[in-house]
Amino acid sequence: MSSAPIYLDYAATTPVDPRVAQAMARHLGLDGTFANPASRSHMLGWLAEQAVEGARRQVADLLNADPREIVWTSGATEADNLALIGYMRANRARGRHLVTSTIEHKAVIDTAHALENEGFEVSWLKPAADGRICPEALEAAMRPDTILVSLMAVNNELGTVNDLEALGNIAHRHGAVFHVDAAQAAGKLALDLERLPIDLLSLSAHKIYGPKGIGALYVRRDTRIEALIHGGGHERGMRSGTLATHQIVGMGEAFALAELEREDDMQRIAELRTRLLEGLGELEGARLSVAEGHGMANILSIGFDGVDGQALVMALRRLALSTGSACNSASVAPSYVLTELGVPTARALATLRISLGRFSTATEIDTAIADIREALDKLRKGSRVQSA
Ligand SMILES: *Cc1c(COP(=O)(O)O)cnc(C)c1O
């Protein structure tokens, strides 16, 4: 049997689509569009600016937004920082309270903690058992001085999808602005910002077959944010720094492809997920982290009772997937998302996050099922011998 690695970690990052890589390559060398897009004094600068603005329109089109509402950043982490810190600082005169949840990505959680250290107040919503944030919980947390609500579209560990319309409407009814981390949603879920009550939205290219190191923050007209990075006043003063033409063109191409191929991709991935779930669901001790029904097809979080998590992960060496644990230097801790959901520690450590993508195949799924089945059998037999 081949021991070539099988990539099942598309929610961590995706490979760059070859069509994206080609577009990027045309914006690097002397024979390409390499000039500084801010160079107004020559033709080469104009061409680079044109490339950047074309990509800005491609990203805006995926969201049904205006290109002037797209601010380039280095990724979703920076977009989350800019949204939270930039909005809270710029609007502190109206209130100091922010509402978010305990299962956000660390880019939001750590930023909210930094704001607490600056004197802002944060309310932390807990997820319901289905992994989603209840609109009722948000309603109860809103205060007269709440100026920002930040909740993710799709959870990166669970694949669960929040009801953005209901949550955003509550934020707006209380006079707060709604920020959404859409790093896992863009290009996979339809996001129509003309219709959805969202004011700030974070995007990343590398979760959707674009390059790492580029992202964007959607900033709805008239939403005031303060810059975090100063120097030159690029991006209408919201984010300075020479624009990375090749990265930006790659993100634009990736988003345009996603728009074209989203439905086909997601349908194929849904079929692969069914195959995976049928294969894994019947294994002894298998437990889904959240019930089926409110999730994206590309992410499956499944835990196994009665096996040691670390031994399981070691036994699955050729499967590139994520686990329900976070390694610190000294110890292995269960993922905070699973802990918040009430998953017992032992099962959290024996939880696999399998995420599928554009290049996943049925053969890969079958191999993964066989590997996991074999590993579980071996580990359980071993532990039965030991305890006998
Ligand atoms: C990957 C991810 C991020 C971070 O994005 P980068 O572009 O890598 O900075 C933020 N939020 C979520 C939900 C993610 O999945």
Side-chain angles (χ1 to χ4, degrees), residues 34 39 45 48 77-78 97 100 122 141 144 152 160 207 210 254 262 277 282 293 326-328 331 335 354 363 372 375:
F34 71 92
S39 294
T77 301
E78 188 192 326
H97 184 234
T100 185
V122 180
M152 68 207 315
T160 46
K207 304 290 172 66
R262 178 179 66 230
L277 197 51
E282 63 180 30
C327 295
N328 305 319
S331 65
S335 113
I354 300 172
T363 311
I372 294 169

PDB file of all heavy atoms in Angstrom, residues 34 39 45 48 77-78 97 100 122 141 144 152 160 207 210 254 262 277 282 293 326-328 331 335 354 363 372 375:
ATOM      1  N   PHE A  34       4.827  43.879 -12.606  1.00  0.00           N
ATOM      2  CA  PHE A  34       5.479  43.844 -11.290  1.00  0.00           C
ATOM      3  C   PHE A  34       5.536  45.199 -10.597  1.00  0.00           C
ATOM      4  O   PHE A  34       5.860  45.286  -9.416  1.00  0.00           O
ATOM      5  CB  PHE A  34       6.915  43.320 -11.444  1.00  0.00           C
ATOM      6  CG  PHE A  34       7.806  44.308 -12.121  1.00  0.00           C
ATOM      7  CD1 PHE A  34       8.538  45.214 -11.357  1.00  0.00           C
ATOM      8  CD2 PHE A  34       7.875  44.380 -13.507  1.00  0.00           C
ATOM      9  CE1 PHE A  34       9.330  46.169 -11.987  1.00  0.00           C
ATOM     10  CE2 PHE A  34       8.655  45.337 -14.129  1.00  0.00           C
ATOM     11  CZ  PHE A  34       9.379  46.230 -13.376  1.00  0.00           C
ATOM     12  N   SER A  39       2.493  53.627  -8.121  1.00  0.00           N
ATOM     13  CA  SER A  39       3.306  54.479  -9.001  1.00  0.00           C
ATOM     14  C   SER A  39       2.402  55.108 -10.048  1.00  0.00           C
ATOM     15  O   SER A  39       1.982  54.435 -10.991  1.00  0.00           O
ATOM     16  CB  SER A  39       4.413  53.663  -9.682  1.00  0.00           C
ATOM     17  OG  SER A  39       5.339  53.212  -8.728  1.00  0.00           O
ATOM     18  N   GLY A  45       3.083  51.234 -13.606  1.00  0.00           N
ATOM     19  CA  GLY A  45       2.341  51.422 -12.359  1.00  0.00           C
ATOM     20  C   GLY A  45       0.834  51.369 -12.610  1.00  0.00           C
ATOM     21  O   GLY A  45       0.088  50.748 -11.843  1.00  0.00           O
ATOM     22  N   ALA A  48      -0.304  47.815 -13.027  1.00  0.00           N
ATOM     23  CA  ALA A  48      -0.389  47.102 -11.741  1.00  0.00           C
ATOM     24  C   ALA A  48      -1.641  47.546 -10.986  1.00  0.00           C
ATOM     25  O   ALA A  48      -2.351  46.724 -10.382  1.00  0.00           O
ATOM     26  CB  ALA A  48       0.872  47.367 -10.920  1.00  0.00           C
ATOM     27  N   THR A  77      -6.570  37.012   9.786  1.00  0.00           N
ATOM     28  CA  THR A  77      -6.132  37.415  11.125  1.00  0.00           C
ATOM     29  C   THR A  77      -6.029  38.936  11.213  1.00  0.00           C
ATOM     30  O   THR A  77      -6.567  39.563  12.131  1.00  0.00           O
ATOM     31  CB  THR A  77      -4.763  36.775  11.460  1.00  0.00           C
ATOM     32  OG1 THR A  77      -4.902  35.355  11.393  1.00  0.00           O
ATOM     33  CG2 THR A  77      -4.293  37.176  12.849  1.00  0.00           C
ATOM     34  N   GLU A  78      -5.361  39.527  10.246  1.00  0.00           N
ATOM     35  CA  GLU A  78      -5.241  40.989  10.264  1.00  0.00           C
ATOM     36  C   GLU A  78      -6.602  41.653  10.061  1.00  0.00           C
ATOM     37  O   GLU A  78      -6.897  42.688  10.677  1.00  0.00           O
ATOM     38  CB  GLU A  78      -4.251  41.467   9.196  1.00  0.00           C
ATOM     39  CG  GLU A  78      -3.973  42.958   9.333  1.00  0.00           C
ATOM     40  CD  GLU A  78      -3.223  43.543   8.137  1.00  0.00           C
ATOM     41  OE1 GLU A  78      -2.386  42.849   7.531  1.00  0.00           O
ATOM     42  OE2 GLU A  78      -3.500  44.723   7.826  1.00  0.00           O
ATOM     43  N   HIS A  97     -18.520  48.377  24.852  1.00  0.00           N
ATOM     44  CA  HIS A  97     -18.868  46.969  25.022  1.00  0.00           C
ATOM     45  C   HIS A  97     -18.917  46.222  23.686  1.00  0.00           C
ATOM     46  O   HIS A  97     -19.467  46.723  22.706  1.00  0.00           O
ATOM     47  CB  HIS A  97     -20.238  46.859  25.722  1.00  0.00           C
ATOM     48  CG  HIS A  97     -20.667  45.463  26.032  1.00  0.00           C
ATOM     49  ND1 HIS A  97     -21.875  44.935  25.628  1.00  0.00           N
ATOM     50  CD2 HIS A  97     -20.037  44.459  26.700  1.00  0.00           C
ATOM     51  CE1 HIS A  97     -21.976  43.687  26.056  1.00  0.00           C
ATOM     52  NE2 HIS A  97     -20.881  43.364  26.704  1.00  0.00           N
ATOM     53  N   THR A 100     -18.883  38.751  21.663  1.00  0.00           N
ATOM     54  CA  THR A 100     -18.366  37.741  20.742  1.00  0.00           C
ATOM     55  C   THR A 100     -18.648  36.377  21.369  1.00  0.00           C
ATOM     56  O   THR A 100     -19.480  36.278  22.270  1.00  0.00           O
ATOM     57  CB  THR A 100     -16.870  37.986  20.427  1.00  0.00           C
ATOM     58  OG1 THR A 100     -16.449  37.045  19.436  1.00  0.00           O
ATOM     59  CG2 THR A 100     -15.988  37.838  21.661  1.00  0.00           C
ATOM     60  N   VAL A 122     -15.931  42.930  27.255  1.00  0.00           N
ATOM     61  CA  VAL A 122     -16.320  41.892  26.300  1.00  0.00           C
ATOM     62  C   VAL A 122     -17.274  40.911  26.975  1.00  0.00           C
ATOM     63  O   VAL A 122     -17.022  40.451  28.089  1.00  0.00           O
ATOM     64  CB  VAL A 122     -15.085  41.125  25.778  1.00  0.00           C
ATOM     65  CG1 VAL A 122     -15.502  40.034  24.788  1.00  0.00           C
ATOM     66  CG2 VAL A 122     -14.072  42.072  25.131  1.00  0.00           C
ATOM     67  N   ALA A 141     -27.425  39.387  25.715  1.00  0.00           N
ATOM     68  CA  ALA A 141     -26.117  39.984  26.043  1.00  0.00           C
ATOM     69  C   ALA A 141     -26.010  41.442  25.610  1.00  0.00           C
ATOM     70  O   ALA A 141     -25.080  42.142  26.005  1.00  0.00           O
ATOM     71  CB  ALA A 141     -25.008  39.168  25.380  1.00  0.00           C
ATOM     72  N   PRO A 144     -26.966  48.779  26.350  1.00  0.00           N
ATOM     73  CA  PRO A 144     -27.036  50.103  25.702  1.00  0.00           C
ATOM     74  C   PRO A 144     -25.668  50.564  25.181  1.00  0.00           C
ATOM     75  O   PRO A 144     -25.607  51.322  24.219  1.00  0.00           O
ATOM     76  CB  PRO A 144     -27.537  51.022  26.823  1.00  0.00           C
ATOM     77  CG  PRO A 144     -28.223  50.118  27.800  1.00  0.00           C
ATOM     78  CD  PRO A 144     -27.523  48.795  27.719  1.00  0.00           C
ATOM     79  N   MET A 152     -18.581  34.412  14.001  1.00  0.00           N
ATOM     80  CA  MET A 152     -18.087  33.827  12.761  1.00  0.00           C
ATOM     81  C   MET A 152     -19.226  33.243  11.925  1.00  0.00           C
ATOM     82  O   MET A 152     -20.282  32.877  12.449  1.00  0.00           O
ATOM     83  CB  MET A 152     -17.038  32.761  13.055  1.00  0.00           C
ATOM     84  CG  MET A 152     -17.552  31.510  13.726  1.00  0.00           C
ATOM     85  SD  MET A 152     -16.292  30.646  14.730  1.00  0.00           S
ATOM     86  CE  MET A 152     -14.844  30.645  13.697  1.00  0.00           C
ATOM     87  N   THR A 160     -19.944  24.229  11.611  1.00  0.00           N
ATOM     88  CA  THR A 160     -21.306  24.698  11.861  1.00  0.00           C
ATOM     89  C   THR A 160     -21.491  26.117  11.317  1.00  0.00           C
ATOM     90  O   THR A 160     -20.550  26.910  11.290  1.00  0.00           O
ATOM     91  CB  THR A 160     -21.605  24.699  13.369  1.00  0.00           C
ATOM     92  OG1 THR A 160     -20.496  25.283  14.047  1.00  0.00           O
ATOM     93  CG2 THR A 160     -21.787  23.289  13.875  1.00  0.00           C
ATOM     94  N   LYS A 207      -7.835  29.812   2.250  1.00  0.00           N
ATOM     95  CA  LYS A 207      -8.811  28.784   2.590  1.00  0.00           C
ATOM     96  C   LYS A 207      -9.647  28.405   1.364  1.00  0.00           C
ATOM     97  O   LYS A 207     -10.486  27.515   1.431  1.00  0.00           O
ATOM     98  CB  LYS A 207      -9.739  29.282   3.716  1.00  0.00           C
ATOM     99  CG  LYS A 207      -9.038  29.733   4.997  1.00  0.00           C
ATOM    100  CD  LYS A 207      -8.439  28.571   5.756  1.00  0.00           C
ATOM    101  CE  LYS A 207      -7.567  28.979   6.927  1.00  0.00           C
ATOM    102  NZ  LYS A 207      -8.215  29.625   8.031  1.00  0.00           N
ATOM    103  N   GLY A 210      -6.457  30.152  -2.884  1.00  0.00           N
ATOM    104  CA  GLY A 210      -5.579  31.278  -3.176  1.00  0.00           C
ATOM    105  C   GLY A 210      -4.315  31.166  -2.341  1.00  0.00           C
ATOM    106  O   GLY A 210      -4.143  30.207  -1.579  1.00  0.00           O
ATOM    107  N   ALA A 254      -8.829  33.405  -7.315  1.00  0.00           N
ATOM    108  CA  ALA A 254      -9.385  32.332  -6.480  1.00  0.00           C
ATOM    109  C   ALA A 254     -10.862  32.592  -6.177  1.00  0.00           C
ATOM    110  O   ALA A 254     -11.692  31.669  -6.208  1.00  0.00           O
ATOM    111  CB  ALA A 254      -8.592  32.215  -5.175  1.00  0.00           C
ATOM    112  N   ARG A 262     -18.426  26.993  -7.148  1.00  0.00           N
ATOM    113  CA  ARG A 262     -18.879  26.701  -5.786  1.00  0.00           C
ATOM    114  C   ARG A 262     -19.910  25.574  -5.753  1.00  0.00           C
ATOM    115  O   ARG A 262     -19.779  24.615  -4.989  1.00  0.00           O
ATOM    116  CB  ARG A 262     -19.461  27.958  -5.133  1.00  0.00           C
ATOM    117  CG  ARG A 262     -19.996  27.702  -3.730  1.00  0.00           C
ATOM    118  CD  ARG A 262     -20.535  28.962  -3.092  1.00  0.00           C
ATOM    119  NE  ARG A 262     -21.713  29.460  -3.768  1.00  0.00           N
ATOM    120  CZ  ARG A 262     -21.879  30.721  -4.167  1.00  0.00           C
ATOM    121  NH1 ARG A 262     -20.944  31.597  -3.984  1.00  0.00           N
ATOM    122  NH2 ARG A 262     -22.985  31.088  -4.761  1.00  0.00           N
ATOM    123  N   LEU A 277     -18.869   9.530   6.078  1.00  0.00           N
ATOM    124  CA  LEU A 277     -19.706   9.362   7.263  1.00  0.00           C
ATOM    125  C   LEU A 277     -20.245   7.934   7.338  1.00  0.00           C
ATOM    126  O   LEU A 277     -20.318   7.342   8.424  1.00  0.00           O
ATOM    127  CB  LEU A 277     -20.850  10.376   7.204  1.00  0.00           C
ATOM    128  CG  LEU A 277     -21.593  10.642   8.495  1.00  0.00           C
ATOM    129  CD1 LEU A 277     -20.633  10.977   9.617  1.00  0.00           C
ATOM    130  CD2 LEU A 277     -22.567  11.809   8.279  1.00  0.00           C
ATOM    131  N   GLU A 282     -20.071   3.818  11.371  1.00  0.00           N
ATOM    132  CA  GLU A 282     -20.365   2.473  11.871  1.00  0.00           C
ATOM    133  C   GLU A 282     -19.228   1.906  12.725  1.00  0.00           C
ATOM    134  O   GLU A 282     -19.342   0.813  13.256  1.00  0.00           O
ATOM    135  CB  GLU A 282     -20.656   1.541  10.685  1.00  0.00           C
ATOM    136  CG  GLU A 282     -19.466   1.370   9.759  1.00  0.00           C
ATOM    137  CD  GLU A 282     -19.784   0.432   8.587  1.00  0.00           C
ATOM    138  OE1 GLU A 282     -20.968   0.385   8.170  1.00  0.00           O
ATOM    139  OE2 GLU A 282     -18.859  -0.231   8.095  1.00  0.00           O
ATOM    140  N   GLY A 293     -26.840  18.477  10.287  1.00  0.00           N
ATOM    141  CA  GLY A 293     -27.990  19.329   9.994  1.00  0.00           C
ATOM    142  C   GLY A 293     -27.672  20.807   9.823  1.00  0.00           C
ATOM    143  O   GLY A 293     -28.260  21.471   8.992  1.00  0.00           O
ATOM    144  N   ALA A 326      -4.649  20.536  21.064  1.00  0.00           N
ATOM    145  CA  ALA A 326      -3.704  21.604  20.771  1.00  0.00           C
ATOM    146  C   ALA A 326      -2.453  21.301  21.570  1.00  0.00           C
ATOM    147  O   ALA A 326      -2.521  21.135  22.776  1.00  0.00           O
ATOM    148  CB  ALA A 326      -4.288  22.946  21.177  1.00  0.00           C
ATOM    149  N   CYS A 327      -1.327  21.172  20.878  1.00  0.00           N
ATOM    150  CA  CYS A 327      -0.104  20.821  21.587  1.00  0.00           C
ATOM    151  C   CYS A 327       0.553  22.059  22.151  1.00  0.00           C
ATOM    152  O   CYS A 327       0.859  22.996  21.431  1.00  0.00           O
ATOM    153  CB  CYS A 327       0.874  20.122  20.637  1.00  0.00           C
ATOM    154  SG  CYS A 327       0.241  18.553  20.054  1.00  0.00           S
ATOM    155  N   ASN A 328       0.742  22.088  23.447  1.00  0.00           N
ATOM    156  CA  ASN A 328       1.608  23.090  24.049  1.00  0.00           C
ATOM    157  C   ASN A 328       2.982  22.440  24.153  1.00  0.00           C
ATOM    158  O   ASN A 328       3.148  21.290  23.779  1.00  0.00           O
ATOM    159  CB  ASN A 328       1.079  23.486  25.426  1.00  0.00           C
ATOM    160  CG  ASN A 328      -0.363  23.949  25.321  1.00  0.00           C
ATOM    161  OD1 ASN A 328      -0.705  24.660  24.385  1.00  0.00           O
ATOM    162  ND2 ASN A 328      -1.201  23.523  26.237  1.00  0.00           N
ATOM    163  N   SER A 331       2.413  19.705  27.268  1.00  0.00           N
ATOM    164  CA  SER A 331       1.295  18.775  27.394  1.00  0.00           C
ATOM    165  C   SER A 331       0.374  18.862  26.177  1.00  0.00           C
ATOM    166  O   SER A 331       0.495  19.745  25.338  1.00  0.00           O
ATOM    167  CB  SER A 331       0.494  19.117  28.650  1.00  0.00           C
ATOM    168  OG  SER A 331      -0.088  20.389  28.468  1.00  0.00           O
ATOM    169  N   SER A 335      -9.014  20.713  22.432  1.00  0.00           N
ATOM    170  CA  SER A 335      -9.354  21.963  21.752  1.00  0.00           C
ATOM    171  C   SER A 335     -10.396  22.727  22.564  1.00  0.00           C
ATOM    172  O   SER A 335     -11.323  22.137  23.117  1.00  0.00           O
ATOM    173  CB  SER A 335      -9.886  21.667  20.352  1.00  0.00           C
ATOM    174  OG  SER A 335     -11.248  22.015  20.244  1.00  0.00           O
ATOM    175  N   ILE A 354     -11.752  16.186   9.865  1.00  0.00           N
ATOM    176  CA  ILE A 354     -11.434  15.826   8.489  1.00  0.00           C
ATOM    177  C   ILE A 354     -12.070  16.883   7.604  1.00  0.00           C
ATOM    178  O   ILE A 354     -13.273  17.130   7.687  1.00  0.00           O
ATOM    179  CB  ILE A 354     -11.990  14.429   8.174  1.00  0.00           C
ATOM    180  CG1 ILE A 354     -11.343  13.406   9.128  1.00  0.00           C
ATOM    181  CG2 ILE A 354     -11.750  14.064   6.718  1.00  0.00           C
ATOM    182  CD1 ILE A 354     -11.957  12.021   9.039  1.00  0.00           C
ATOM    183  N   THR A 363     -11.239   7.737  -3.764  1.00  0.00           N
ATOM    184  CA  THR A 363     -10.188   6.802  -3.366  1.00  0.00           C
ATOM    185  C   THR A 363      -9.534   7.246  -2.060  1.00  0.00           C
ATOM    186  O   THR A 363      -9.256   6.430  -1.175  1.00  0.00           O
ATOM    187  CB  THR A 363      -9.103   6.723  -4.473  1.00  0.00           C
ATOM    188  OG1 THR A 363      -9.775   6.520  -5.720  1.00  0.00           O
ATOM    189  CG2 THR A 363      -8.115   5.616  -4.219  1.00  0.00           C
ATOM    190  N   ILE A 372      -8.315   4.416   9.364  1.00  0.00           N
ATOM    191  CA  ILE A 372      -8.874   4.719  10.690  1.00  0.00           C
ATOM    192  C   ILE A 372      -9.433   3.446  11.316  1.00  0.00           C
ATOM    193  O   ILE A 372      -9.218   3.165  12.498  1.00  0.00           O
ATOM    194  CB  ILE A 372      -9.946   5.832  10.580  1.00  0.00           C
ATOM    195  CG1 ILE A 372      -9.284   7.144  10.142  1.00  0.00           C
ATOM    196  CG2 ILE A 372     -10.682   6.007  11.907  1.00  0.00           C
ATOM    197  CD1 ILE A 372     -10.242   8.260   9.740  1.00  0.00           C
ATOM    198  N   ALA A 375      -6.505   1.352  12.471  1.00  0.00           N
ATOM    199  CA  ALA A 375      -5.851   1.927  13.659  1.00  0.00           C
ATOM    200  C   ALA A 375      -6.688   1.665  14.911  1.00  0.00           C
ATOM    201  O   ALA A 375      -6.157   1.278  15.958  1.00  0.00           O
ATOM    202  CB  ALA A 375      -5.643   3.426  13.462  1.00  0.00           C
TER     203      ALA A 375
END
